[in-house]
Amino acid sequence: MSVDTVSLTGWGRTAPTTALRFRPRTYEEAAVAVRGCGPRGSIARGLGRAHGDAAQNAGGSVLDMTALNRIRTIDAAVGLVVCDAGVSLHRLMEVLLPLGWFVPVTPGTRHVTVGGAIGADIHGRNQHGSGSFSRHVRAMEVLTADGTIRTVRPGTDLFDATAGGLGLTGVILSATLQFQPVATSLMSVDTERTVDLDDLMARLTASDHRYRYSAAWIDLLARGRATGRSVLTRGEHAPLHVLPARDRRTPLMFRPGRLPAAPAFVPDGLLGRTSVALFNELWYRRAPKFRTGELQKLSTYFHLLDAVPHWNRVYGRGGSVRYQFVVGHGQEEALRRIVRRISQRRCPSFLAVLKRFGDGDPGWLSFPMPGWTLALDLPAALPGLARFLDGLDEEVAVAGGRVCLAKDSRLRPETLAAMYPRLPEFRALRAELDPNGAFRSDLSRRLSL
């Protein structure tokens, strides 16, 4: 097991902290690292795609799980896979797609480990029908603070605390996952432009149930009658018969493209209001008003930015803040107010996505709940950003909504309790399983988890 001292950040590249990094290659080495973690505790880390500080541990230790990356068994008849927690969704797609199986839930990047997907209880464009990642976990092995490796199954308190628990209940070592069958590696995509936020919500409400996947890019710089205008894309896995003849010979081929990496140095201010407003205008205008059945690669539909390595550098040295919240059905006016506030403040976000959530899953700190979710990226150096987002937090909490902890880097602890009603149960189970604080992170200290 290798050990070194590193400075780490989340994908947003804000608030770096230094920790001792362990790289276990076996479950036994992971247990040794946890037992020797010291008074500042330890936290598991995968590929570093948590946007905030959930996988950092200032002055403590971090367990880099990426060497635990074996796919142990595949039951190709039913799509059941047993794999180590350090296996990435990208690797699972490479191996399982040629066999006719696809990951049940994928976020906007495939460079996420299975352990990270469970710890964040990630959601994707199919949450309204398929739920979040934990719904498709049949069992997992978790290393708890006492050094015990426990087999944890759905319906138990430890499962519900670990799914979405941000690594604070133990180290996920492996998982048994249920995949979904697909006939091809292409998507059939319908695209349409909406004129404003109300138009978008009406279309989602009326017809979202007919699609497996849906999400809308939303222009948060548009104002007046165009406030909330968007490009809505919805898709299904393409059946074999719609593929051109040349593609039917290799219908399950998976070869995502790759572009040059973003430069190491990007000047601050590149993504200002003027440049983002121009980008948003071009993006909206180039989208078709209405188009159906376009065939797209999986990587184009789900993971467009993965084609640009280190794309997070485009925000400059100051990095970025990702803000994602959800408010319930019946709270549409709260969503309208928040979108108007962002628009009126002229927040320069070129990455803003609105989706409609269905039923949430049992994870005590899992983010999804039935309603509307909006995610946006903003330059961290934007003047007055912290105070502005604090104000949005209060509006979300009053509406009975919540902020996504897996992407958070700045939420205040006094706001957290109003958003996550099962927080006391989570804290109580942590105190029982880990009385000495073996599992800690910068996020857990900031939010008193």
Side-chain angles (χ1 to χ4, degrees):
M1 175 169 56
S2 64
V3 185
D4 60 355
T5 300
V6 291
S7 177
L8 296 170
T9 71
W11 189 247
R13 303 172 70 224
T14 60
T17 57
T18 300
L20 197 63
R21 178 172 59 187
F22 292 84
R23 286 176 168 161
R25 293 162 297 181
T26 65
Y27 294 175
E28 292 75 19
E29 287 184 351
V32 168
V34 169
R35 285 196 293 269
C37 65
R40 296 286 286 181
S42 63
I43 194 71
R45 182 181 175 97
L47 290 168
R49 290 303 181 108
H51 210 88
D53 52 2
Q56 298 171 223
N57 187 21
S61 61
V62 168
L63 274 64
D64 182 331
M65 300 295 290
T66 54
L68 285 166
N69 59 1
R70 290 171 294 176
I71 299 176
R72 293 173 170 267
T73 65
I74 299 172
D75 187 337
V78 296
L80 207 61
V81 179
V82 181
C83 64
D84 287 344
V87 175
S88 70
L89 299 192
H90 173 83
R91 180 59 181 156
L92 289 173
M93 291 178 196
E94 285 184 322
V95 173
L96 272 297
L97 261 173
L99 303 178
W101 297 96
F102 187 62
V103 291
V105 171
T106 177
T109 174
R110 61 185 179 275
H111 299 300
V112 176
T113 63
V114 167
I118 298 171
D121 201 14
I122 59 171
H123 59 272
R125 298 183 178 201
N126 60 342
Q127 196 285 332
H128 60 286
S130 299
S132 49
F133 197 84
S134 65
R135 187 179 298 186
H136 309 275
V137 177
R138 299 294 172 257
M140 55 183 158
E141 289 185 297
V142 178
L143 172 66
T144 51
D146 60 2
T148 302
I149 297 177
R150 309 188 187 201
T151 299
V152 184
R153 300 187 188 280
T156 63
D157 283 354
L158 185 52
F159 187 97
D160 292 346
T162 302
L166 304 167
L168 297 173
T169 60
V171 179
I172 300 168
L173 298 174
S174 71
T176 302
L177 309 174
Q178 179 64 62
F179 277 55
Q180 62 171 319
V182 294
T184 75
S185 61
L186 293 175
M187 299 295 296
S188 176
V189 180
D190 294 353
T191 304
E192 53 194 302
R193 288 197 321 224
T194 73
V195 297
D196 59 21
L197 182 60
D198 285 341
D199 184 23
L200 171 60
M201 290 194 292
R203 296 190 196 201
L204 287 171
T205 300
S207 57
D208 218 27
H209 63 280
R210 298 204 298 263
Y211 293 86
R212 184 185 296 269
Y213 303 99
S214 70
W217 169 87
I218 185 169
D219 183 359
L220 292 176
L221 281 172
R223 292 185 290 183
R225 289 186 295 178
T227 299
R229 67 180 181 177
S230 67
V231 178
L232 173 60
T233 55
R234 296 187 281 194
E236 298 283 351
H237 294 282
L240 185 62
H241 69 85
V242 304
L243 268 59
R246 67 179 183 279
D247 292 329
R248 292 181 199 171
R249 293 191 291 269
T250 54
L252 292 165
M253 184 177 64
F254 179 61
R255 292 181 182 172
R258 192 175 178 87
L259 297 172
F265 173 75
V266 177
D268 292 329
L270 179 66
L271 294 181
R273 291 186 180 95
T274 301
S275 57
V276 172
L278 178 60
F279 171 87
N280 286 3
E281 182 69 25
L282 292 173
W283 190 264
Y284 182 77
R285 294 298 175 189
R286 72 181 289 273
K289 290 184 177 180
F290 188 79
R291 180 175 60 199
T292 61
E294 180 191 14
L295 292 178
Q296 293 184 6
K297 292 182 178 180
L298 286 168
S299 54
T300 301
Y301 182 70
F302 289 110
H303 313 123
L304 186 60
L305 285 172
D306 278 350
V308 184
H310 308 295
W311 66 263
N312 56 340
R313 294 173 181 168
V314 301
Y315 292 96
R317 290 170 298 183
S320 65
V321 170
R322 174 159 294 180
Y323 187 72
Q324 183 168 12
F325 68 90
V326 58
V327 293
H329 295 303
Q331 294 294 332
E332 286 76 11
E333 189 52 43
L335 176 63
R336 293 185 187 98
R337 285 195 303 269
I338 292 172
V339 169
R340 283 197 297 266
R341 287 180 65 173
I342 296 170
S343 174
Q344 290 165 1
R345 197 180 187 276
R346 307 292 287 158
C347 292
S349 176
F350 77 98
L351 277 179
V353 176
L354 188 135
K355 296 191 288 260
R356 190 169 179 263
F357 276 168
D359 291 340
D361 289 289
W364 292 348
L365 297 186
S366 186
F367 169 65
M369 56 181 273
W372 305 92
T373 182
L374 176 64
L376 59 147
D377 282 2
L378 293 167
L382 201 64
L385 180 61
R387 182 180 298 179
F388 177 70
L389 293 181
D390 286 346
L392 297 190
D393 289 343
E394 293 173 5
E395 187 133 18
V396 168
V398 168
R402 57 182 63 146
V403 166
C404 183
L405 299 181
K407 298 175 182 177
D408 176 59
S409 59
R410 31 70 45 203
L411 185 67
R412 294 174 300 175
E414 59 268 25
T415 311
L416 177 68
M419 296 180 172
Y420 288 89
R422 304 199 72 173
L423 181 61
E425 295 169 77
F426 179 81
R427 286 173 170 157
L429 185 66
R430 277 201 73 210
E432 176 187 339
L433 291 176
D434 186 11
N436 298 318
F439 300 115
R440 302 182 188 181
S441 65
D442 290 355
L443 181 143
S444 75
R445 280 186 285 269
R446 175 169 57 83
L447 293 179
S448 301
L449 289 175

